[in-house]
Structure formats: structure tokens, C-alpha cells
């Protein structure tokens, strides 16, 4: 069965998977969604015996139907290899009665590696398939993790350039050091004086700027995206939920067909949307637990049906979730409208124009697959501490938000189904927050002294991703206002 893609704001026109990956965002400003969600017709007993790479092929081949078997298997084998520090790629670790799905064993120790290790291979394959004659410029806004993972994936990939914008004062010191030390003749990192939403909105505006697109085309360039608005980011994320289910069956933690709950720390809504797509494919998932930090715009949306970004932007210890405009929610909204592109466009324009929209009662009823809640900064610290002192397992602040919200879900529902928590970053990426939560005796240490203290505490070797930036020189030091981003892109590309 061929799966095509259409825009959430379009008139029904379709493109192939490879064209959707290459474009990143539709011309009308909408996000590409599959015309049909394919069925996962693989028995759980078979999934249980599969490697990560084999699971990836089973899932992705059903969505990316214009890639040949050889092309897709080549992309998968190049992506999920020795870059990951564990053969399993995404191990499950049981602690405190739940299963933490460790998505941080890639080159940049965050879950973004799971998709961004394969996206460059999907994109360059897509470019060849579509006879693209222009150099691809990957334009990305990051709240901390996407930027580094995207650059690591695209560094020195022929026919591409990558430009990453990040909030200068809105990421952890380790996250920033990872980005500003990035090597590669085609990589560019720019700090902005605003927050992530400012960066993301400016990037989207550049994608929708036809005049800028013409300038680029004349100079031999075309934009694409490595953010989760790109369907080539979203599809690989579905894989690890399917893989986790197979591993639970293999370990006899569940019986084939038994439903599980999934808790995901959520900012831009892509990671939990991937779990939702896995459920729509037929994966036995009961509840999707959407965990927010103090920027709780999603919690308020699930509670009231109103999405309202008109609020103070809070800098937290889980910066990758410091987001007030959750781009991927648009894909869910489109589905809730009954795939009414005009209605979806109206809602998104209302958000852009007035800062809020409200869904109908009928649409709100469609949210029953989800449970939303949030953790305060104090509750996040408590979750790190409780997990460490309860089981000796150390989690980062993003994972802690999900763990804390999961405990609230348990209290609210008494649903004790087997639960998987998406563990989205290594604690080594947020050492200060983690060590402060574990004990007050580490105050006053610098970030790399904290890295060594964490290694001593856990007995786990410092990841290569952290070790190699300890003394790495800063290669990128440009900082601009959000309004200067388009001219910064022109300057980088030498077109003005």
C-alpha cells in the first residue's frame, strides 16, 4: 500500500514520502501528514525477537513507501551503528516499578539522536530520488538538543548546509558547549537574544517567505528542516515505542496484546505524537501521558480545550521543554477536526494572530487517549531525588518531569498497567540540576567537576559526547536578535 502525504492546511494535494522529507514544511505553512496511518501487522511475538534495526525497517517501510527496501535498509544501517554506545540502541531500564526507555545512547546523548541519525541519510536519498539540483539548507530552531543532534548528523554531508538558531540564555551550559564547539565546514550555530518560540517562529516565517525562497533558488539553495515538523523526523520516532513493546514481550513483563501506558516529557509535541501514531498503527497503548514543566500550555489545553500561548515564558531546569508554541500539536488538531484543512488553518491562524484558539467539544472528546499534567521545579527535583534514593537510578530533569507526572497519573486513576517512561536525555547533559537534586554538597563545583562527581556517584563512565567538549575550542560565537535571523541566513549563504 502506497502512503502519500498531504498538508494540514492544504487543498488535498499529495506528495510522496521522499518529497515531504525534502520539503520539510508545506508551501501553505502546514505540516505533512500521511493520508492513511498504515497498520502494524507484525505479531508481537515476532517483534520480540527483532533487533532495533529490524524493527525500524518494519515500521518505517510502512510509512516511507517510495523508498526501496535497499535504500531504506542502507539508511537504517548507517544510522544505527557504533555511534550508539549500546548494541540495543534504546535499552529499557526498570526502576521504581516502571520501565525507562533510554533514548540517549547516541552521539549527542539525547533522544533527538534517534531520528537525527537517520534523517541526513533519508534526506540525501530523497534528493537523489527527486533529482534535486540545489544545495539543501537545513534551517533549524532548537531548545537545546535538536541543534546539536542535527549538526552531528549533517556535519560534512555533501550537498547540505545546516544553520541552527538557539536561545542564547535558554539552554544548559553543556548543551551550549556541545553546539558552539561543533565541527564541520557546513555547520553554522547562531545564538538569539530571545527564547525558543522566537527562534521557531522566525524559522517558520522564513520557510513561508516566498521572496526569500526565490532568492535562495537563484543562488542554488533550497530550505529544508531537521525540526520535528519534518515527517522524516517523526516517523523514526515511532520505531522506539514499537521496539520497547517488543522488548517487554520478550522479557515476559507483558503478554502479547496487553496494553501499556506511555509517559513522555513534552515540549514541541513531536515525541508523544510519535507514540500516538504507534497507537494508531495498532500498538497496544492505553494512555498517552503528556508531561509538561512549568510552561504548562499543553496541560492547560488538555484540561480546558483552549490553547493559549499568552503567558510568561519560564526558564526551567528542563530547557528542551521550555516551549509555548507546540508545533506538532497541529498534526493532532488536524486529526481532531476530521482532517478539515480549512478548520485547522483557521485555528493555527488564530494562534498566530491572537495567541490562542479553542477547540469544539466534539474535538475535545477526541483527546481521550491523552492524560496531561505538569511538574513544578520543586516536583522535578523531588522526582530526581526519589528515583535515585529509591532505586539508585539517576534521571535527567526532562525524564524527571515525566516520572513526576506519571506518579500524578497513578494517584488520579489508580491505573497500574505496565508503564514506559521516555527517558529523553542523559543526566550528564544537566549535571547541575541533577546533582543539586541528589545532594546539596556539590554546590560551587563547575559543570565539568559536576560531570566527574556524577560519574563517581553512578559508576557510569562519562559519555564521549561530554568528554570531547571538555577542552574543545568555541567555533561559533554569533549572537543576533530574532528579527535579524533572515539577514543572518543570507550572510551565511553569501547571497547578500
Amino acid at each position: 500500500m502506497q502512503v502519500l502525504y498531504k498538508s494540514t492546511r492544504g487543498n488535498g494535494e499529495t506528495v510522496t514520502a521522499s518529497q515531504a522529507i525534502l520539503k520539510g514544511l508545506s508551501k501553505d505553512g502546514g505540516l505533512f501528514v500521511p493520508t492513511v496511518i498504515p497498520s502494524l501487522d507484525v505479531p508481537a511475538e515476532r517483534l520480540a525477537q527483532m533487533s532495533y534495526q529490524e524493527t525500524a525497517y518494519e515500521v518505517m517501510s510502512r510509512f516511507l513507501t517510495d523508498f526501496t527496501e535497499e535504500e531504506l535498509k542502507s539508511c537504517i544501517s548507517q544510522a544505527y551503528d557504533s555511534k550508539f554506545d549500546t548494541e540495543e540502541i534504546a535499552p529499557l531500564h526498570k526502576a521504581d516499578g516502571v520501565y525507562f526507555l533510554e533514548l540517549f545512547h547516541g552521539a549527542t546523548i539525547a533522544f533527538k539522536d534517534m531520528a537525527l541519525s537517520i534523517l541526513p541519510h533519508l534526506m540525501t536519498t530523497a534528493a537523489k530520488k527527486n533529482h534535486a539540483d540545489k544545495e539543501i539548507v537545513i534551517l533549524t530552531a532548537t531548545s537545546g538538543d535538536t541543534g546539536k543532534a542535527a549538526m552531528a548528523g549533517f556535519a560534512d554531508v555533501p550537498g547540505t548546509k545546516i544553520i541552527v538558531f538557539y536561545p542564547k540564555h535558554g539552554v544548559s551550559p553543556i548543551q551550549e558547549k556541545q553546539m558552539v564547539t561543533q565541527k564541520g565546514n557546513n555547520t553554522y550555530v547562531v545564538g538569539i537574544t530571545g527564547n525558543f518560540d522566537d527562534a521557531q517562529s522566525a524559522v517558520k516565517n522564513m520557510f513561508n517567505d516566498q521572496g526569500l525562497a526565490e532568492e535562495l533558488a537563484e543562488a542554488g539553495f533550497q530550505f529544508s528542516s531537521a525540526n520535528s515538523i519534518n515527517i522524516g523526523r517523526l516517523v523514526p520516532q515511532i520505531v522506539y515505542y514499537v521496539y520497547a513493546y517488543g522488548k517487554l514481550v520478550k522479557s515476559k513483563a507483558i503478554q502479547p496484546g496487553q496494553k501499556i501506558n506511555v509517559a513522555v516529557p513534552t515540549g514541541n509535541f513531536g515525541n508523544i505524537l510519535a507514540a500516538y501514531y504507534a497507537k494508531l498503527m495498532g500498538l497496544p497503548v492505553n494512555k498517552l501521558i503528556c508531561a509538561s514543566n512549568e510552561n504548562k500550555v499543553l496541560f492547560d489545553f488538555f484540561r480546558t480545550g483552549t490553547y493559549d500561548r499568552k503567558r510568561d515564558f519560564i526558564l526551567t531546569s528542563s530547557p528542551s521543554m521550555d516551549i509555548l508554541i507546540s508545533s506538532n500539536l497541529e498534526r493532532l488538531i488536524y486529526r481532531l477536526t476530521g482532517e478539515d484543512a480549512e478548520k485547522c488553518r483557521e485555528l493555527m491562524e488564530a494562534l498566530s494572530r491572537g495567541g490562542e484558539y479553542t477547540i469544539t467539544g466534539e474535538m475535545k472528546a477526541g483527546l481521550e487517549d491523552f492524560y496531561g499534567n505538569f511538574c513544578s521545579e520543586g516536583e522535578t527535583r523531588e522526582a530526581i531525588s526519589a528515583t535515585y534514593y529509591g532505586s539508585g537510578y539517576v534521571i535527567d530533569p526532562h525524564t524527571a518531569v515525566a516520572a513526576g507526572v506519571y506518579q500524578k497519573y497513578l494517584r488520579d486513576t489508580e491505573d497500574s498497567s505496565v508503564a514506559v517512561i521516555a527517558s529523553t536525555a542523559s543526566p550528564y547533559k544537566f549535571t547541575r540540576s541533577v546533582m543539586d537534586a541528589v545532594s546539596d554538597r556539590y554546590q560551587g563545583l563547575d559543570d565539568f567537576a559536576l560531570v566527574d562527581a556524577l560519574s563517581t556517584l553512578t559508576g557510569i563512565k562519562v559519555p564521549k559526547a561530554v568528554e570531547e567538549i571538555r577542552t574543545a575550542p568555541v567555533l561559533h560565537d554569533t549572537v543576533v536578535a530574532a528579527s535579524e535571523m533572515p539577514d543572518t541566513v543570507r550572510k551565511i549563504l553569501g547571497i547578500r
Side-chain angles (χ1 to χ4, degrees):
M1 177 185 72
Q2 188 181 26
V3 176
L4 295 171
Y5 291 81
K6 58 186 175 180
S7 167
T8 52
R9 305 184 199 180
N11 56 11
E13 287 178 11
T14 57
V15 297
T16 63
S18 63
Q19 288 168 338
I21 288 169
L22 210 50
K23 290 171 185 287
L25 193 67
S26 175
K27 260 186 184 176
D28 53 38
L31 278 60
F32 287 113
V33 289
T35 50
V36 62
I37 302 288
S39 171
L40 183 67
D41 49 358
V42 183
E45 295 87 345
R46 232 182 93 210
L47 283 175
Q49 302 308 316
M50 287 183 185
S51 67
Y52 192 87
Q53 293 84 347
E54 289 165 339
T55 308
Y57 180 74
E58 290 297 334
V59 173
M60 293 173 66
S61 62
R62 283 160 172 74
F63 281 96
L64 310 181
T65 54
D66 68 324
F67 285 74
T68 67
E69 181 177 349
E70 184 185 1
E71 286 169 341
L72 194 49
K73 284 187 172 174
S74 171
C75 290
I76 289 166
S77 67
Q78 290 178 83
Y80 305 113
D81 57 10
S82 59
K83 288 190 292 294
F84 287 80
D85 64 16
T86 170
E87 206 174 304
E88 283 184 285
I89 308 297
L92 276 173
H93 182 100
K94 190 175 185 183
D96 272 5
V98 296
Y99 290 87
F100 288 88
L101 177 59
E102 294 184 346
L103 302 173
F104 53 76
H105 288 280
T108 74
I109 58 175
F111 84 101
K112 307 293 172 77
D113 291 322
M114 302 301 294
L116 286 165
S117 293
I118 196 167
L119 183 61
H121 303 293
L122 294 175
M123 199 168 279
T124 50
T125 303
K128 284 179 199 153
K129 291 176 83 67
N130 291 281
H131 312 291
D133 60 352
K134 292 179 176 59
E135 188 166 7
I136 299 164
V137 178
I138 308 297
L139 196 60
T140 294
T142 184
S143 55
D145 288 334
T146 289
K148 173 61 181 180
M151 286 187 292
F154 280 95
D156 293 324
V157 170
T160 68
K161 282 183 167 46
I162 176 161
I163 305 171
V164 170
F165 292 96
Y166 75 97
K168 175 67 183 167
H169 302 294
V171 299
S172 81
I174 298 282
Q175 284 178 309
E176 182 172 44
K177 189 84 188 282
Q178 280 189 306
M179 285 189 282
V180 298
T181 58
Q182 175 65 49
K183 295 175 186 172
N185 291 328
N186 64 337
T187 64
Y188 305 88
V189 185
V190 181
I192 70 155
T193 52
N195 60 41
F196 170 74
D197 287 332
D198 297 325
Q200 180 170 250
S201 296
V203 163
K204 277 188 170 181
N205 289 341
M206 282 189 269
F207 271 106
N208 295 330
D209 185 336
Q210 292 308 308
L212 182 57
E214 285 164 21
E215 281 182 64
L216 259 72
E218 215 171 287
F221 299 110
Q222 69 177 81
F223 279 147
S224 191
S225 172
N227 279 92
S228 54
I229 54 174
N230 192 317
I231 199 72
R233 264 280 303 275
L234 191 61
V235 169
Q237 290 181 272
I238 301 169
V239 173
Y240 43 75
Y241 295 108
V242 176
Y243 178 74
Y245 192 88
K247 294 306 107 181
L248 289 172
V249 170
K250 185 175 184 178
S251 69
K252 297 191 167 32
I254 58 171
Q255 295 299 310
Q258 185 178 334
K259 287 190 174 183
I260 63 170
N261 291 323
V262 177
V264 186
T266 310
N268 221 8
F269 206 74
N271 203 2
I272 197 163
L273 184 74
Y276 178 62
Y277 274 20
K279 177 171 180 165
L280 294 177
M281 288 183 83
L283 194 72
V285 173
N286 174 37
K287 199 63 82 173
L288 297 151
I289 300 164
C290 179
S292 300
N293 64 16
E294 288 184 357
N295 292 291
K296 56 188 180 68
V297 63
L298 286 166
F299 165 63
D300 291 339
F301 168 69
F302 283 117
R303 191 169 48 86
T304 66
T306 295
Y307 192 99
D308 183 359
R309 66 173 171 82
K310 303 188 308 297
R311 60 184 71 203
D312 290 339
F313 186 96
I314 302 166
L315 292 175
T316 73
S317 60
S318 47
S320 298
M321 298 160 65
D322 290 348
I323 294 171
L324 295 179
I325 305 172
S326 302
S327 287
N328 267 289
L329 188 63
E330 180 170 341
R331 287 184 164 113
L332 177 62
I333 294 296
Y334 177 69
R335 190 170 182 86
L336 295 176
T337 64
E339 303 200 341
D340 183 338
E342 193 174 330
K343 177 66 176 169
C344 185
R345 186 172 58 250
E346 277 174 24
L347 292 170
M348 295 307 117
E349 284 175 355
L351 180 66
S352 179
R353 196 172 51 248
E356 68 174 281
Y357 61 79
T358 300
I359 60 174
T360 64
E362 189 182 353
M363 288 171 68
K364 192 167 185 287
L367 293 172
E368 62 187 15
D369 290 322
F370 294 88
Y371 166 91
N373 217 317
F374 78 102
C375 273
S376 67
E377 283 291 88
E379 289 169 331
T380 302
R381 279 193 299 275
E382 283 169 24
I384 294 171
S385 177
T387 306
Y388 173 67
Y389 287 107
S391 63
Y393 187 58
V394 181
I395 56 177
D396 92 292
H398 303 76
T399 308
V401 168
V405 166
Y406 173 68
Q407 291 302 321
K408 293 184 180 188
Y409 172 76
L410 271 185
R411 289 194 293 273
D412 287 350
T413 66
E414 297 184 358
D415 173 11
S416 59
S417 304
V418 170
V420 170
I421 292 177
S423 185
T424 53
S426 165
Y428 279 101
K429 214 159 190 176
F430 303 94
T431 47
R432 189 166 302 282
S433 299
V434 169
M435 299 307 277
D436 283 352
V438 168
S439 171
D440 58 10
R441 64 192 172 97
Y442 299 104
Q443 289 172 6
L445 296 181
D446 69 29
D447 287 284
F448 285 100
L450 287 169
V451 163
D452 295 330
L454 179 57
S455 180
T456 301
L457 185 74
T458 60
I460 297 170
K461 189 179 171 189
V462 177
K464 184 183 169 193
V466 174
E467 203 58 74
E468 66 188 9
I469 62 168
R470 210 184 268 263
T471 56
V474 171
L475 302 175
H476 309 271
D477 58 4
T478 304
V479 180
V480 302
S483 59
E484 298 173 294
M485 285 168 59
D487 281 338
T488 303
V489 169
R490 289 185 179 96
K491 187 177 174 184
I492 287 169
L493 298 179
I495 59 176
R496 186 176 287 183

